[in-house]
Amino acid sequence: MRPVTRRQADSYAARSAATQAQVMSTLERLLDSGEAFRDISVQRLLEEAGVSRATFYAHFPSKSDVLVRLTDGLRESLLALARQWDPAAGEDGADRFARFFEEVLRIHRAHQGVITAVREAAAYDSAVGDFYTADLEGFEEAALRTLLAEQAAGSTTADLDAVAASRIIAWGGAQAIAHHIQVDDGSRDAVFARELARIWWYGAYRRPADARQGAGPH
């Protein structure tokens, strides 16, 4: 048997990458057209992408894997935004947070079909559910690290429970953003981003030290 040359290996890798890109872009197109993920069969995906069943399964274990891979790059983009967040930067934190959320909303709207599909499939598909959970856990961990660093620096009040706050920030924010995109046409994205920013900034990152924790009525 003749050994596989570097050129042959590179050619195969290029064809494989092109096939995967074709299948993923086809799924995204179908989702963007308004089709529900559960209603798109593998056969429909094969026909629309122009690939054989054998070729499909040589690259993807399942239809869910196509969705996960399609979303992976998007998740990294959002996580990169979260990691860049620095409450200690000079300008007003609430304003910077608002711009951060405007960018998050822009990305979500640009990929609304895919994100809706992930949220839908997470409820009944364990592979997608695990991916969705890991995604939000990544945001939760980023928020927790930031809050703990701010507390250590004395910028965030010591009575804040950083674990609970980071959980609320990540999971509550995801629900709020998803609902806003469903019910709003985009005209109030800036308003929504501003209010969410202020709630998080003044509710956690710069909560007043005399927030009367546990105080009852007077």
Side-chain angles (χ1 to χ4, degrees):
M1 179 181 296
R2 295 173 58 189
V4 176
T5 66
R6 176 66 180 271
R7 180 175 296 179
Q8 288 173 318
D10 289 346
S11 176
Y12 174 79
R15 291 196 306 272
S16 178
T19 298
Q20 293 177 62
Q22 175 67 16
V23 173
M24 290 189 292
S25 65
T26 298
L27 177 59
E28 184 167 22
R29 175 173 56 80
L30 292 173
L31 293 172
D32 285 343
S33 72
E35 295 195 43
F37 179 70
R38 69 163 70 239
D39 295 335
I40 302 172
S41 66
V42 170
Q43 183 59 38
R44 173 84 188 287
L45 196 53
L46 300 180
E47 293 170 356
E48 293 284 342
V51 300
S52 70
R53 185 171 292 271
T55 298
F56 175 87
Y57 284 112
H59 294 89
F60 301 98
S62 67
K63 181 182 73 168
S64 297
D65 188 62
V66 182
L67 180 61
V68 166
R69 290 202 222 173
L70 184 59
T71 313
D72 197 47
L74 175 59
R75 176 179 67 169
E76 285 304 314
S77 297
L78 291 170
L79 274 173
L81 276 178
R83 294 186 187 110
Q84 291 169 10
W85 168 246
D86 179 13
E91 61 180 311
D92 181 79
D95 288 343
R96 284 186 297 108
F97 226 164
R99 289 196 295 275
F100 165 80
F101 281 124
E102 285 189 52
E103 180 63 13
V104 169
L105 287 168
R106 185 194 67 76
I107 293 173
H108 274 247
R109 287 199 183 278
H111 302 276
Q112 187 172 354
V114 173
I115 292 173
T116 298
V118 170
R119 292 175 59 83
E120 169 211 321
Y124 58 80
D125 188 301
S126 60
V128 180
D130 290 344
F131 176 83
Y132 180 68
T133 298
D135 185 14
L136 288 178
E137 286 174 346
F139 283 100
E140 183 182 334
E141 290 169 4
L144 177 59
R145 284 194 299 269
T146 304
L147 286 171
L148 290 174
E150 288 293 289
Q151 282 185 317
S155 301
T156 296
T157 179
D159 69 358
L160 175 80
D161 188 304
V163 172
S166 61
R167 192 168 299 152
I168 292 167
I169 283 172
W171 296 81
Q175 293 292 331
I177 290 170
H179 180 69
H180 170 76
I181 288 177
Q182 286 180 348
V183 301
D184 188 87
D185 61 3
S187 61
R188 290 178 57 81
D189 280 2
V191 173
F192 179 87
R194 182 192 67 198
E195 292 306 320
L196 188 56
R198 290 177 176 178
I199 288 169
W200 286 12
W201 181 250
Y202 295 112
Y205 292 94
R206 293 297 181 269
R207 177 189 299 178
D210 60 345
R212 299 178 182 272
Q213 181 181 16
H218 296 283

